Amino acid sequence: MNNLFDFILRYISWFVFIICEIISLVLLFTYNNYQGSIWMSSANAVSGKVYEVNAGVDQYFSLTDINEQLTKRNLYLEQRVQDLSSQIAEKTGDSALMKLESYELMKKYSFISAKVVSNSIDKRDNLITIDKGETDGVRKDMGVACGYGVVGIVFMTGRHYSVVMPILNSNSSISCTINNRGYFGYLHWTGGNSRIAFMDEVPRHAHFKLYDKVVTSGYSSVFPPGIEIGKIIHVYNSSDGLSYRCMVELSTNFSKLRDVSVIDNAQMKERIDILRAAQDSLEKK
């Protein structure tokens, strides 16, 4: 014990110096936005690299399962394309119409492939880290999807990594519609089950049925219309009784999320800038 006290007394000036340095750094990064942003970016880069290595090991041992899922998904999509082509050709007499409309819709978008290096599903405000950043063309507010449906929206970007706010976040709100019904609402997650979210503000006069698909509306300037979100499995009255609240089983299994695509809309940035300018103008009045 005496030796411990002697050691502390001998180096007490160093201990005081280190403690003061730690306090000063905490104050610097906490109360200064610029230094705080640098710290966040640096910490995100380091943690992102660690997560990437860990995710790489996990992916190596799950390649068989992933390939099987992708094969099934590709077969399903090919069948859907054939079915839709047949239906449109039958009704319009022009088999080239669908290809033309799809091309005109999707040529505005490009896709940046990325891998998930960090993911959580057990928090109220979950976040996902992907291995693509500003140098790869990823920007804040871009949509993120996978082969099964919507994942979320880019929340923060670094040079080589980005943080995504997924559906499984209490701050997430995605504009959606009931497929082929024309009724719109907003998707929210209230915590708990990672496969369940809720579509709110569906009008009382809406006509739909259980297991109808919920897809992106295309109104948010983030996602193209028609990307699958899930299916309706239960319907409630809203708390004020003026609308419906639909329980939605999500098509994306976040617990097995590995490969995603960041959606780059060439016109998105311009539309968002115009909306923000209009909002700022209204607030100033």
Side-chain angles (χ1 to χ4, degrees):
M1 184 64 71
N2 290 333
N3 291 335
L4 177 61
F5 287 142
D6 290 338
F7 177 82
I8 294 174
L9 291 173
R10 184 180 304 174
Y11 297 100
I12 190 169
S13 58
W14 285 102
F15 291 143
V16 173
F17 173 78
I18 292 172
I19 292 172
C20 290
E21 283 292 309
I22 293 173
I23 294 174
S24 63
L25 289 173
V26 171
L27 293 174
L28 176 66
F29 291 123
T30 302
Y31 297 101
N32 293 275
N33 292 331
Y34 177 71
Q35 288 83 355
S37 64
I38 293 177
W39 166 257
M40 285 292 293
S41 298
S42 301
N44 184 44
V46 173
S47 61
K49 194 64 180 179
V50 174
Y51 287 140
E52 182 180 17
V53 173
N54 182 63
V57 175
D58 290 340
Q59 280 185 294
Y60 178 81
F61 292 104
S62 60
L63 285 177
T64 301
D65 184 53
I66 292 173
N67 287 334
E68 183 179 350
Q69 292 176 14
L70 290 175
T71 301
K72 291 180 179 178
R73 186 62 178 175
N74 287 336
L75 291 173
Y76 169 76
L77 292 175
E78 288 177 4
Q79 185 62 49
R80 288 290 295 159
V81 169
Q82 292 176 3
D83 291 344
L84 290 172
S85 297
S86 300
Q87 292 175 25
I88 291 178
E90 181 181 345
K91 292 183 179 181
T92 65
D94 185 2
S95 61
L97 179 61
M98 190 195 76
K99 294 181 180 179
L100 179 61
E101 290 180 345
S102 297
Y103 175 76
E104 290 298 322
L105 174 64
M106 296 309 296
K107 73 178 183 180
K108 297 187 298 183
Y109 302 91
S110 59
F111 300 90
I112 304 168
S113 297
K115 293 186 180 297
V116 173
V117 297
S118 174
N119 181 23
S120 65
I121 61 172
D122 57 348
K123 301 177 176 63
R124 181 167 177 78
D125 294 317
N126 296 289
L127 294 173
I128 295 172
T129 303
I130 59 176
D131 66 347
K132 292 293 189 295
E134 294 170 358
T135 57
D136 305 292
V138 179
R139 300 187 302 273
K140 185 178 179 181
D141 296 325
M142 282 184 170
V144 182
C146 68
Y148 294 93
V150 170
V151 173
I153 299 173
V154 175
F155 173 68
M156 180 186 297
T157 59
R159 286 181 55 80
H160 303 292
Y161 298 92
S162 298
V163 177
V164 177
M165 180 188 295
I167 292 174
L168 306 185
N169 188 300
S170 64
N171 296 305
S172 174
S173 179
I174 295 176
S175 176
C176 55
T177 180
I178 302 175
N179 196 34
N180 297 324
R181 301 286 185 177
Y183 303 113
F184 300 92
Y186 291 90
L187 190 80
H188 301 100
W189 186 67
T190 58
N193 193 333
S194 63
R195 297 303 300 272
I196 299 296
F198 294 91
M199 181 180 180
D200 294 314
E201 301 180 27
V202 179
R204 294 285 296 183
H205 62 268
H207 296 285
F208 57 92
K209 59 185 179 180
L210 293 181
Y211 306 112
D212 275 353
K213 287 186 178 180
V214 176
V215 299
T216 53
S217 65
Y219 286 171
S220 66
S221 303
V222 177
F223 294 103
I227 298 182
E228 186 171 347
I229 295 176
K231 61 184 179 182
I232 298 172
I233 60 173
H234 199 82
V235 180
Y236 306 90
N237 287 321
S238 64
S239 57
D240 57 11
L242 299 178
S243 61
Y244 290 124
R245 181 177 225 210
C246 300
M247 179 185 287
V248 178
E249 182 180 49
L250 300 175
S251 57
T252 299
N253 187 346
F254 286 87
S255 65
K256 295 183 177 180
L257 194 60
R258 291 290 182 270
D259 297 276
V260 298
S261 292
V262 182
I263 303 170
D264 184 4
N265 181 357
Q267 300 177 2
M268 179 189 72
K269 187 176 185 302
E270 180 181 355
R271 292 174 65 182
I272 290 178
D273 289 343
I274 291 174
L275 289 172
R276 287 176 175 170
Q279 184 177 4
D280 291 341
S281 177
L282 291 173
E283 290 176 352
K284 290 178 181 178
K285 290 182 179 181

